[in-house]
Protein backbone atom coordinates (compact mmCIF):
# COMPACT_ATOMS: atom_id res chain seq x y z
CA UNK A 1 0.00 0.00 0.00
CA UNK A 2 1.35 3.43 -0.92
CA UNK A 3 1.63 5.86 2.02
CA UNK A 4 -0.90 8.22 0.41
CA UNK A 5 -3.53 5.43 0.46
CA UNK A 6 -2.60 4.18 3.91
CA UNK A 7 -5.51 2.95 6.02
CA UNK A 8 -5.69 0.60 8.98
CA UNK A 9 -8.18 -0.14 11.73
CA UNK A 10 -7.18 -0.73 15.34
CA UNK A 11 -9.07 -1.52 18.50
CA UNK A 12 -8.30 0.72 21.47
CA UNK A 13 -8.08 -0.65 25.03
CA UNK A 14 -11.65 0.57 25.54
CA UNK A 15 -12.81 -1.67 22.71
CA UNK A 16 -13.52 1.28 20.39
CA UNK A 17 -12.39 0.92 16.79
CA UNK A 18 -10.12 3.63 15.42
CA UNK A 19 -9.14 4.22 11.83
CA UNK A 20 -5.63 5.42 11.12
CA UNK A 21 -5.29 6.70 7.60
CA UNK A 22 -3.38 9.08 5.37
CA UNK A 23 -4.37 12.74 5.67
CA UNK A 24 -6.42 13.93 2.68
CA UNK A 25 -6.84 17.46 1.29
CA UNK A 26 -10.55 17.29 2.19
CA UNK A 27 -9.61 16.87 5.89
CA UNK A 28 -9.15 20.65 6.24
CA UNK A 29 -12.35 21.23 8.24
CA UNK A 30 -11.91 18.10 10.35
CA UNK A 31 -8.33 18.98 11.17
CA UNK A 32 -9.20 22.55 12.15
CA UNK A 33 -12.09 21.28 14.28
CA UNK A 34 -9.69 18.94 16.08
CA UNK A 35 -7.31 21.86 16.75
CA UNK A 36 -10.30 23.80 18.11
CA UNK A 37 -11.00 21.02 20.62
CA UNK A 38 -7.36 20.85 21.75
CA UNK A 39 -6.25 22.69 24.90
CA UNK A 40 -3.67 25.48 24.98
CA UNK A 41 -1.29 23.23 26.88
CA UNK A 42 -1.51 20.44 24.29
CA UNK A 43 -1.06 22.90 21.42
CA UNK A 44 1.97 24.36 23.23
CA UNK A 45 3.47 20.89 23.56
CA UNK A 46 2.90 20.32 19.86
CA UNK A 47 4.02 23.68 18.46
CA UNK A 48 6.34 24.95 21.25
CA UNK A 49 4.35 28.19 21.26
CA UNK A 50 0.89 29.41 22.19
CA UNK A 51 -0.56 28.72 18.80
CA UNK A 52 -4.25 28.50 18.05
CA UNK A 53 -4.78 30.34 14.79
CA UNK A 54 -3.06 29.48 11.56
CA UNK A 55 -2.58 31.46 8.37
CA UNK A 56 -3.87 30.02 5.09
CA UNK A 57 -0.26 29.34 4.10
CA UNK A 58 0.33 27.37 7.29
CA UNK A 59 -2.87 25.37 6.79
CA UNK A 60 -1.87 24.64 3.19
CA UNK A 61 1.51 23.49 4.42
CA UNK A 62 -0.08 21.05 6.90
CA UNK A 63 -2.57 19.75 4.32
CA UNK A 64 -0.45 19.53 1.18
CA UNK A 65 1.45 16.44 2.05
CA UNK A 66 3.42 14.66 -0.67
CA UNK A 67 3.78 11.35 1.23
CA UNK A 68 7.48 11.26 0.44
CA UNK A 69 9.31 14.05 2.25
CA UNK A 70 6.20 14.87 4.27
CA UNK A 71 3.87 12.16 5.56
CA UNK A 72 0.78 12.77 7.70
CA UNK A 73 -1.68 10.38 9.31
CA UNK A 74 -4.96 11.07 11.09
CA UNK A 75 -6.82 8.98 13.66
CA UNK A 76 -10.61 8.86 13.36
CA UNK A 77 -13.24 7.66 15.80
CA UNK A 78 -16.85 7.12 14.93
CA UNK A 79 -19.04 9.65 16.72
CA UNK A 80 -22.76 9.35 16.20
CA UNK A 81 -22.21 7.55 12.92
CA UNK A 82 -19.64 9.85 11.42
CA UNK A 83 -15.85 9.67 11.49
CA UNK A 84 -14.24 12.44 13.53
CA UNK A 85 -10.53 13.29 13.48
CA UNK A 86 -9.26 12.97 17.06
CA UNK A 87 -5.54 13.05 16.43
CA UNK A 88 -2.76 13.01 13.93
CA UNK A 89 0.93 12.71 13.42
CA UNK A 90 3.39 13.53 10.71
CA UNK A 91 6.99 13.38 9.74
CA UNK A 92 9.03 15.72 7.63
CA UNK A 93 12.32 14.59 6.18
CA UNK A 94 15.00 16.99 7.40
CA UNK A 95 18.02 15.32 5.86
CA UNK A 96 18.52 12.13 3.83
CA UNK A 97 17.35 9.16 5.94
CA UNK A 98 16.14 11.31 8.84
CA UNK A 99 12.72 12.82 9.56
CA UNK A 100 11.29 14.91 12.38
CA UNK A 101 8.04 13.62 13.89
CA UNK A 102 5.21 15.40 15.70
CA UNK A 103 1.97 14.18 17.26
CA UNK A 104 -1.27 15.62 18.62
CA UNK A 105 -4.42 14.04 20.04
CA UNK A 106 -7.33 16.22 21.15
CA UNK A 107 -7.61 16.38 24.93
CA UNK A 108 -10.87 14.43 25.26
CA UNK A 109 -9.29 11.46 23.51
CA UNK A 110 -5.85 11.45 25.15
CA UNK A 111 -4.79 8.52 27.32
CA UNK A 112 -6.75 5.94 25.30
CA UNK A 113 -3.91 4.62 23.18
CA UNK A 114 -4.47 6.80 20.09
CA UNK A 115 -0.96 8.27 20.19
CA UNK A 116 0.60 4.83 20.65
CA UNK A 117 -1.32 3.49 17.64
CA UNK A 118 -0.33 6.49 15.50
CA UNK A 119 3.34 5.96 16.38
CA UNK A 120 3.24 2.32 15.34
CA UNK A 121 1.86 3.17 11.90
CA UNK A 122 4.07 6.20 11.34
CA UNK A 123 7.19 4.20 12.20
CA UNK A 124 6.14 1.43 9.80
CA UNK A 125 5.67 3.95 6.98
CA UNK A 126 9.00 5.61 7.78
CA UNK A 127 10.77 2.29 7.69
CA UNK A 128 9.21 1.23 4.40
CA UNK A 129 10.07 4.67 3.01
CA UNK A 130 13.71 3.85 3.67
CA UNK A 131 14.26 6.22 6.58
CA UNK A 132 16.94 5.37 9.15
CA UNK A 133 16.09 7.73 12.00
CA UNK A 134 13.24 9.72 13.46
CA UNK A 135 13.96 12.76 15.58
CA UNK A 136 11.73 14.69 17.98
CA UNK A 137 11.96 17.44 20.55
CA UNK A 138 9.84 16.82 23.63
CA UNK A 139 9.16 19.47 26.27
CA UNK A 140 9.88 18.69 29.94
CA UNK A 141 6.90 17.03 31.61
CA UNK A 142 5.53 15.51 28.43
CA UNK A 143 5.43 12.04 29.93
CA UNK A 144 2.88 10.67 27.44
CA UNK A 145 5.03 11.48 24.41
CA UNK A 146 8.16 10.05 26.04
CA UNK A 147 6.27 6.88 26.97
CA UNK A 148 5.10 6.43 23.38
CA UNK A 149 8.63 6.71 22.04
CA UNK A 150 10.00 4.36 24.72
CA UNK A 151 7.24 1.81 24.06
CA UNK A 152 7.88 1.88 20.30
CA UNK A 153 10.66 -0.65 20.64
CA UNK A 154 13.02 1.57 18.63
CA UNK A 155 16.51 2.29 19.94
CA UNK A 156 16.53 5.78 21.47
CA UNK A 157 19.24 8.31 22.11
CA UNK A 158 18.10 11.18 24.31
CA UNK A 159 19.90 14.47 24.79
CA UNK A 160 18.54 16.69 27.51
CA UNK A 161 18.75 20.30 26.53
CA UNK A 162 17.53 23.16 28.72
CA UNK A 163 14.42 23.78 26.61
CA UNK A 164 13.52 20.25 25.56
CA UNK A 165 14.73 16.69 25.29
CA UNK A 166 16.06 15.91 21.84
CA UNK A 167 15.42 12.30 20.82
CA UNK A 168 16.85 10.23 18.02
CA UNK A 169 14.99 6.98 17.30
CA UNK A 170 16.72 4.27 15.32
CA UNK A 171 14.56 2.58 12.67
CA UNK A 172 17.19 0.09 11.51
C1 LIG B 1 1.51 13.18 23.43
C2 LIG B 1 0.16 12.71 22.89
C3 LIG B 1 0.19 12.73 21.37
C4 LIG B 1 -0.06 11.27 23.37
O1 LIG B 1 -1.25 10.79 22.80
P1 LIG B 1 -2.23 9.86 23.64
O2 LIG B 1 -3.24 9.32 22.70
O3 LIG B 1 -2.70 10.57 24.83
O4 LIG B 1 -1.23 8.69 24.07
P2 LIG B 1 -1.58 7.25 24.61
O5 LIG B 1 -2.98 7.20 25.09
O6 LIG B 1 -1.16 6.28 23.57
O7 LIG B 1 -0.65 7.17 25.88
C5 LIG B 1 0.71 6.87 25.85
C6 LIG B 1 1.19 6.62 27.27
O8 LIG B 1 1.23 7.84 27.98
C7 LIG B 1 0.42 7.77 29.14
N1 LIG B 1 -0.23 9.05 29.32
C8 LIG B 1 -1.19 9.60 28.56
N2 LIG B 1 -1.49 10.83 29.01
C9 LIG B 1 -0.68 11.05 30.07
C10 LIG B 1 -0.49 12.12 30.96
N3 LIG B 1 -1.20 13.25 30.84
N4 LIG B 1 0.44 12.00 31.93
C11 LIG B 1 1.17 10.88 32.06
N5 LIG B 1 1.04 9.82 31.23
C12 LIG B 1 0.14 9.91 30.26
C13 LIG B 1 -0.58 6.68 28.85
O9 LIG B 1 -1.07 6.11 30.04
C14 LIG B 1 0.25 5.71 28.05
O10 LIG B 1 1.08 4.95 28.88
P3 LIG B 1 0.82 3.39 29.04
O11 LIG B 1 0.93 2.83 27.67
O12 LIG B 1 1.88 2.99 29.99
O13 LIG B 1 -0.57 3.28 29.59
C15 LIG B 1 -1.01 13.56 23.41
O14 LIG B 1 -0.99 13.55 24.80
C16 LIG B 1 -0.94 15.00 22.91
O15 LIG B 1 -1.51 15.32 21.88
N6 LIG B 1 -0.23 15.89 23.64
C17 LIG B 1 -0.09 17.27 23.20
C18 LIG B 1 0.77 17.41 21.97
C19 LIG B 1 2.15 16.83 22.16
O16 LIG B 1 2.65 16.74 23.26
N7 LIG B 1 2.79 16.45 21.07
C20 LIG B 1 4.12 15.89 21.11
C21 LIG B 1 5.09 16.79 20.41
S1 LIG B 1 6.22 15.76 19.46
Amino acid sequence: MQAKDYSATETLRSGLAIEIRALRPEDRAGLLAAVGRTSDQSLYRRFFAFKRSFTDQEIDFYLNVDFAGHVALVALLDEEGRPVIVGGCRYIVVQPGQAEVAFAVDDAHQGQGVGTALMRHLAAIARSGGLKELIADVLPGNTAMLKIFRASGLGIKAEREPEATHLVLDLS
Side-chain angles (χ1 to χ4, degrees):
M1 186 173 12
Q2 285 191 317
K4 72 174 182 48
D5 302 319
Y6 195 87
S7 174
T9 304
E10 293 240 4
T11 306
L12 298 177
R13 280 187 294 255
S14 63
L16 282 179
I18 190 152
E19 185 188 6
I20 300 213
R21 64 153 171 81
L23 179 73
R24 301 174 186 151
E26 62 267 29
D27 288 328
R28 184 185 180 98
L31 206 58
L32 290 175
V35 170
R37 292 191 308 271
T38 302
S39 69
D40 287 345
Q41 189 199 46
S42 289
L43 291 174
Y44 191 86
R45 286 179 165 171
R46 165 64 181 83
F47 294 105
F48 286 56
F50 285 106
K51 183 116 183 103
R52 183 160 288 285
S53 58
F54 296 84
T55 64
D56 284 342
Q57 285 93 327
E58 285 171 327
I59 297 169
D60 287 347
F61 171 79
Y62 288 116
L63 281 170
N64 294 334
V65 173
D66 64 4
F67 289 99
H70 188 171
V71 169
L73 297 176
V74 283
L76 301 106
L77 277 173
D78 188 272
E79 281 186 359
E80 293 164 5
R82 71 185 183 98
V84 173
I85 295 178
V86 298
C89 62
R90 65 184 65 229
Y91 70 66
I92 296 177
V93 175
V94 289
Q95 56 172 289
Q98 189 187 67
E100 179 161 8
V101 295
F103 289 74
V105 174
D106 74 24
D107 289 59
H109 297 97
Q110 290 178 9
Q112 299 178 31
V114 177
T116 302
L118 282 167
M119 176 63 194
R120 198 162 40 244
H121 292 277
L122 194 69
I125 293 173
R127 196 178 271 125
S128 56
L131 294 182
K132 302 282 177 257
E133 286 177 347
L134 298 175
I135 60 168
D137 285 319
V138 181
L139 287 171
N142 196 349
T143 317
M145 197 66 245
L146 288 173
K147 272 190 163 182
I148 288 173
F149 289 138
R150 288 205 195 99
S152 70
L154 303 176
I156 302 184
K157 273 185 270 168
E159 251 174 65
R160 272 191 110 110
E161 288 161 13
E163 302 285 303
T165 301
H166 181 71
L167 300 173
V168 180
L169 293 95
D170 185 358
L171 288 162
S172 56

